[in-house]
Amino acid sequence: MRLPTTPGRARLPAVFLSVSGLCALGLGATACGSSGTAVATGTEVYVLNFYGAEQGRADQEPADLVLSEFSTLNKVTWRSWGPTRASGTGNLSGTWCLPHCLDKPYAATVTLSSIVPVKGKGYFARYEITAKLPPGEKGKADLSGTLPTPPEPP
């Protein structure tokens, strides 16, 4: 069965179902997260982005993405987006590499994963960065971690 997609953006389900056994058995779930949450087609996947938005905003395929308080990707070109992962390339900089990377950020590949359902939408909750960094900055670099997601409603 083919699932509907928008060019360049995969879709996630309109309803999130808690079905840990369904994922293991492969009984029709479109995507299964590590928490055993299955999702079907309908809702698009987002990333909570704080680039130019102090309170953050739901974003898809952003050209600029704040990964953490220490790292930002700019000029991102997305190769894939959803429903369970996103992958792209961009320019990595952060407080850990200043002043060296201010004028010349590092070429990097980013992978977003771990979908978390919030208010009927799916949000990426993890990131992994691959980049060639100078030896003195490898230990300081913020290359993997947890992405923020919107707070759950009360």
Side-chain angles (χ1 to χ4, degrees):
M1 171 173 102
R2 281 190 74 78
L3 300 173
T5 60
T6 302
R9 292 192 176 122
R11 297 216 178 240
L12 280 180
V15 177
F16 293 90
L17 304 170
S18 186
V19 287
S20 56
L22 202 61
C23 291
L25 297 174
L27 298 175
T30 310
C32 294
S34 59
S35 65
T37 301
V39 285
T41 307
T43 302
E44 295 179 344
V45 65
Y46 296 85
V47 63
L48 186 61
N49 191 2
F50 288 87
Y51 191 88
E54 190 173 316
Q55 300 300 312
R57 68 177 171 279
D59 213 345
Q60 293 179 310
E61 299 184 46
D64 301 296
L65 176 62
V66 172
L67 296 167
S68 73
E69 63 184 299
F70 305 109
S71 295
T72 300
L73 273 177
N74 297 105
K75 299 181 181 178
V76 182
T77 301
W78 295 98
R79 290 181 275 176
S80 65
W81 187 268
T84 60
R85 299 175 81 73
S87 178
T89 57
N91 298 321
L92 176 66
S93 62
T95 56
W96 50 269
C97 62
L98 292 176
H100 306 107
C101 63
L102 186 59
D103 294 324
K104 190 168 178 163
Y106 304 113
T109 299
V110 63
T111 301
L112 308 180
S113 61
S114 298
I115 305 296
V116 172
V118 180
K119 301 177 187 175
K121 295 180 180 178
Y123 285 86
F124 288 113
R126 302 266 324 144
Y127 70 91
E128 294 280 335
I129 299 284
T130 303
K132 285 189 176 182
L133 303 176
E137 292 180 357
K138 285 182 182 179
K140 300 184 287 182
D142 185 20
L143 300 179
S144 66
T146 303
L147 292 165
T149 56
E152 290 286 337

